[in-house]
Amino acid sequence: MATLAGHSKSKKRVSYFYDEDVGNFTYGQGHPMKPHRMRMVHDLVVNYNLFKKMEVLSPKRATPRQMTRFHTDEYIDFLCRVTPQNVEELSMQQTRFNVGEDCPIFEGLFEFCTISAGGSIDAANKLTGGESDIAINWSGGLHHAKRFEASGFCYVNDIVLAILELLRYHQRVLYIDIDIHHGDGVEEAFYTTDRVLTCSFHKFGQFFPGTGDVSDVGIGTGKHYAVNFPLKDGMDDWNYQNVFRPVVEHIMGWYRPGAVVLQCGADSLAGDRLGCFNLSMKGHAACVEFVKGFNLPMLVVGGGGYTIRNVARAWTYETGLLLGEHLSEDLPYNNFLEYYGPEYKLDVPANNMENMNTPAYLADMKAKVFENLRNIPFAPSVQMQQVPYDYESEEEEDNENPDIRMSQRQRNTLVVPENELSDSEDEGNRRNERNYNSNGRESSSRKSRASHKNSSNEHEGRSTSSRTHKSSSGVREKDGRKMLKTRLIDDVLNTSIRRTSPSVDRPSIMVTSSPSTNTSTSKHTIPSGPEVATKQEPEILDSTVSLTQPQVEDTTKTNDNTNNVDNNENDDDENNNNDIKDNKEEIKDENNDKSNEPVAMEIDTNESLPEIKREPEDVVMQQ
């Protein structure tokens, strides 16, 4: 046994996790669970100068995402939302998640759970990273919490979360529980797997939680990987060691775990408010020392313990034992010295309680446990695979150094602009409304400026090209006149005229062009509309427009003319695009044309026009 355990005297690298806020919480007046006990333990650790011998760390708070690696989303969401103020509104969920008398709703409940779970998770990561040989989190050890409900003063099972971290690097993990209550939450979590072997020494028979019989060995793949050693009242040091050491040694030699988690519930000590064992402080600590001797990565957590002065003594003594330090029996001065009177000693002695565990009973239980262990294979193997990714929630964890401040300019570089990302299919190809409108206005203004510029260039080209049409062929001259006629009509429409015309009659305009000797006239109709107010292009310099009051009486000719012109509009539009290209080429060839005779445009007064109602301002025709 000594050879297997090793019992190395070398110093271990020990990490100690403590959050100074853990002692601020209370389950309520009269409740046996006192988080204040962790503050008393830490105060003794500091005053014994043990903090100088180990690495003292403040753990990160566990996030809801980390908790849901084991617990259900609904349960964790309930713990996040429930408070003493809204507990009545969530009365239906209280029954569902088993919160009430044993597991009350108190102020800061979820924060307390994050501290407990975060310490055990960080301690496990310290071991898997090879940075420590032993990691201690006395705030953990809440082994009763189930996947979907609270139980036995426990809300979040930090032990299960820590073992899940260890399983990422170790093929097999051994969990040992020396709390007086059965570790039902941890056993239930790994009841069907062979990668975790749970071993619990506890009081059984009409005692909470009522589970942990010797016949409870697991199911499926996890059959025979749940070891339960039920005990009776009055268990003393000698008998406890007589069953603890051989069972644990047999498991170590046959199961070959890669890491060990030891739950050190102090309610198995003599004189505990809720316990019925008769273990002394040194008898309890002997279990810790024995497990330490196997030289495996070891996670030590707290658990039960309801006589808080004895809890502080035991866990302080076991911290020194894990460090290999001998502690004085006389307590040093500390902030809670009055709790340890009248003896003020670092000791929890056994009493004269009768031991109900007979030698025959213990021998029978030991034989049954060994028989179950014979059914498991030697060191069950695990298929080789890549180590799972060690992720942390970037949305919920702040990894920034609080001592380094980031400027606003640096923060702005981390923000993605709203128009940087493309539309997703989930949004139905809808654009951001603001960007869409602003881009539309900008695009319209750009198109308008480009259209005005092109229009002005085309107007100038038309006036120049009209002077060259007389020397062209007959077809070319006819098409040119049609094109010029169309552009001049558009110029008239772009003048600063505000008019109101009847919807019945449509006026016609006669355009007279006299580039040199020949003069050609053509007629076109102005579309009727409620208002025309556009700016005249300044490039048309040699044109005159005269408006005459129309004669409204004769409408027959106007209607006939309108029908004739409408029939020709489609032909004119088809030739416009070709004429623009041809006119640009002809403009280049006729640069030496010296004919600058003006082009006149008049309204044919013989045609009937609708009455034009003028605004107070006169029509201004820009030259």
Side-chain angles (χ1 to χ4, degrees):
M1 179 176 67
T3 303
L4 179 63
H7 296 289
S8 175
K9 299 297 183 181
S10 61
K11 294 288 184 179
K12 302 291 186 180
R13 296 174 299 168
V14 179
S15 297
Y16 174 87
F17 290 86
Y18 175 73
D19 191 305
E20 61 182 3
D21 293 332
V22 70
N24 297 333
F25 302 95
T26 175
Y27 277 58
Q29 186 176 4
H31 198 284
M33 180 61 122
K34 308 291 185 184
H36 176 67
R37 61 189 181 153
M38 269 77 80
R39 180 177 290 167
M40 296 174 61
V41 174
H42 182 71
D43 194 67
L44 280 179
V45 167
V46 171
N47 285 280
Y48 268 114
N49 292 323
L50 295 178
F51 69 95
K52 298 179 180 179
K53 311 287 192 311
M54 59 185 176
E55 184 181 14
V56 180
L57 301 170
S58 179
K60 296 179 182 178
R61 307 287 176 90
T63 63
R65 181 177 180 180
Q66 290 175 319
M67 295 178 184
T68 52
R69 296 177 186 177
F70 171 61
H71 296 283
T72 60
D73 294 342
E74 296 82 4
Y75 176 56
I76 297 301
D77 180 66
F78 169 76
L79 294 179
C80 290
R81 293 185 295 110
V82 68
T83 62
Q85 289 74 28
N86 64 4
V87 65
E88 295 182 358
E89 301 175 3
L90 305 174
S91 58
M92 295 297 295
Q93 294 185 355
Q94 289 186 62
T95 305
R96 176 185 178 187
F97 299 122
N98 194 32
V99 295
E101 295 182 0
D102 286 349
C103 301
I105 303 300
F106 57 88
E107 196 68 39
L109 168 61
F110 186 72
E111 184 180 359
F112 174 76
C113 295
T114 62
I115 294 173
S116 174
S120 296
I121 293 173
D122 280 4
N125 289 330
K126 201 74 171 177
L127 296 176
T128 56
E131 302 175 22
S132 297
D133 301 316
I134 300 173
I136 304 171
N137 177 36
W138 296 124
S139 302
L142 305 181
H143 58 167
H144 292 305
K146 308 298 193 301
R147 183 172 181 266
F148 51 84
E149 67 179 14
S151 177
F153 315 153
C154 307
Y155 302 89
V156 174
N157 201 317
D158 62 288
I159 299 174
V160 174
L161 297 175
I163 291 176
L164 291 176
E165 292 295 326
L166 294 173
L167 288 175
R168 296 174 58 251
Y169 289 88
H170 299 286
Q171 296 184 26
R172 295 171 298 277
V173 175
L174 172 62
Y175 169 69
I176 304 174
D177 194 320
I178 59 175
D179 193 290
I180 194 173
H181 299 94
H182 178 231
D184 57 335
V186 181
E187 179 183 276
E188 181 180 303
F190 302 107
Y191 206 58
T192 61
T193 180
D194 60 353
R195 295 195 62 191
V196 179
L197 191 150
T198 60
C199 180
S200 178
F201 301 85
H202 54 271
K203 169 73 166 63
F204 179 75
Q206 295 183 355
F207 194 76
F208 182 85
T211 57
D213 192 9
V214 68
S215 60
D216 297 337
V217 295
I219 59 175
T221 306
K223 190 174 183 179
H224 303 298
Y225 289 93
V227 178
N228 290 297
F229 204 111
L231 299 170
K232 297 180 180 180
D233 295 355
M235 192 65 179
D236 56 22
D237 292 347
W238 188 86
N239 285 291
Y240 199 89
Q241 294 301 315
N242 196 32
V243 297
F244 180 84
R245 287 173 178 265
V247 170
V248 171
E249 183 182 13
H250 184 83
I251 294 173
M252 287 288 188
W254 192 253
Y255 187 67
R256 297 287 181 176
V260 181
V261 178
L262 179 60
Q263 200 265 17
C264 300
D267 49 4
S268 55
L269 292 172
D272 190 81
R273 291 179 59 186
L274 300 182
C276 55
F277 281 180
N278 194 22
L279 296 181
S280 67
M281 181 188 72
K282 293 183 179 180
H284 191 273
C287 300
V288 179
E289 185 178 17
F290 183 76
V291 175
K292 174 192 173 186
F294 288 96
N295 298 323
L296 293 174
M298 185 177 178
L299 172 59
V300 181
V301 294
Y306 309 102
T307 303
I308 59 177
R309 61 180 181 274
N310 292 340
V311 174
R313 287 179 171 124
W315 289 351
T316 302
Y317 182 80
E318 289 167 1
T319 302
L321 189 149
L322 292 170
L323 290 169
E325 296 292 327
H326 176 73
L327 303 181
S328 173
E329 188 175 350
D330 295 326
L331 290 175
Y333 178 80
N334 59 86
N335 295 327
F336 309 100
L337 187 61
E338 66 276 7
Y339 282 77
Y340 307 104
E343 62 277 2
Y344 303 104
K345 299 292 184 180
L346 184 65
D347 186 28
V348 180
N351 52 39
N352 57 357
M353 184 179 183
E354 182 183 1
N355 186 5
M356 305 300 296
N357 298 277
T358 63
Y361 173 78
L362 295 176
D364 182 54
M365 290 297 104
K366 190 187 302 184
K368 291 181 178 180
V369 169
F370 286 157
E371 183 65 26
N372 291 331
L373 291 175
R374 289 192 184 97
N375 294 318
I376 65 174
F378 175 80
S381 61
V382 178
Q383 183 178 1
M384 297 298 293
Q385 60 182 358
Q386 186 178 3
V387 176
Y389 176 64
D390 185 12
Y391 68 92
E392 291 184 358
S393 179
E394 296 180 358
E395 297 79 8
E396 298 171 353
E397 294 183 5
D398 187 5
N399 294 326
E400 296 181 358
N401 188 342
D403 297 330
I404 300 177
R405 298 189 64 181
M406 183 181 292
S407 65
Q408 187 62 39
R409 178 177 296 179
Q410 292 173 328
R411 292 183 183 275
N412 291 339
T413 60
L414 303 178
V415 178
V416 179
E418 295 182 1
N419 58 354
E420 187 72 17
L421 303 177
S422 60
D423 297 332
S424 64
E425 296 181 358
D426 295 338
E427 296 175 350
N429 293 328
R430 293 176 295 162
R431 298 179 183 272
N432 181 277
E433 184 177 356
R434 186 186 66 180
N435 293 338
Y436 178 77
N437 293 336
S438 61
N439 292 340
R441 288 192 295 269
E442 293 175 0
S443 177
S444 299
S445 62
R446 288 194 300 267
K447 290 181 180 180
S448 177
R449 290 194 297 269
S451 176
H452 282 299
K453 183 176 180 180
N454 293 335
S455 177
S456 62
N457 293 336
E458 291 174 1
H459 289 322
E460 185 177 1
R462 299 302 180 275
S463 61
T464 304
S465 62
S466 62
R467 294 191 297 268
T468 64
H469 286 176
K470 66 179 182 178
S471 60
S472 301
S473 62
V475 176
R476 174 79 63 182
E477 183 176 3
K478 181 178 179 180
D479 294 339
R481 286 196 301 269
K482 290 182 178 180
M483 179 269 297
L484 179 60
K485 174 194 66 177
T486 302
R487 301 311 305 169
L488 290 176
I489 295 300
D490 293 338
D491 292 341
V492 173
L493 295 177
N494 289 333
T495 56
S496 299
I497 301 176
R498 296 182 180 272
R499 58 190 178 81
T500 304
S501 60
S503 59
V504 177
D505 297 329
R506 301 174 65 186
S508 61
I509 296 178
M510 177 176 290
V511 180
T512 303
S513 175
S514 58
S516 57
T517 57
N518 293 340
T519 302
S520 61
T521 61
S522 62
K523 298 180 181 179
H524 201 281
T525 60
I526 300 176
S528 63
E531 180 176 326
V532 177
T534 57
K535 184 176 181 181
Q536 181 189 11
E537 297 297 334
E539 285 77 9
I540 303 178
L541 300 177
D542 299 331
S543 62
T544 59
V545 179
S546 60
L547 299 177
T548 309
Q549 291 290 344
Q551 297 177 0
V552 185
E553 291 80 5
D554 189 5
T555 60
T556 303
K557 187 175 182 179
T558 301
N559 295 333
D560 295 337
N561 188 29
T562 300
N563 294 331
N564 293 332
V565 175
D566 290 337
N567 293 332
N568 295 329
E569 284 180 354
N570 294 332
D571 296 335
D572 294 342
D573 294 337
E574 293 177 357
N575 296 326
N576 283 343
N577 293 333
N578 295 329
D579 291 340
I580 292 173
K581 295 180 180 179
D582 295 337
N583 289 335
K584 288 183 179 180
E585 296 177 358
E586 292 179 2
I587 290 172
K588 294 180 181 179
D589 297 335
E590 298 296 335
N591 289 332
N592 296 326
D593 191 358
K594 298 181 180 180
S595 178
N596 294 323
E597 298 178 4
V599 179
M601 180 177 66
E602 297 180 354
I603 301 295
D604 189 358
T605 57
N606 294 327
E607 300 293 334
S608 61
L609 294 175
E611 181 180 359
I612 298 176
K613 296 181 180 181
R614 297 177 180 272
E615 294 290 337
E617 298 180 357
D618 295 337
V619 178
V620 180
M621 305 302 296
Q622 297 182 1
Q623 296 298 328

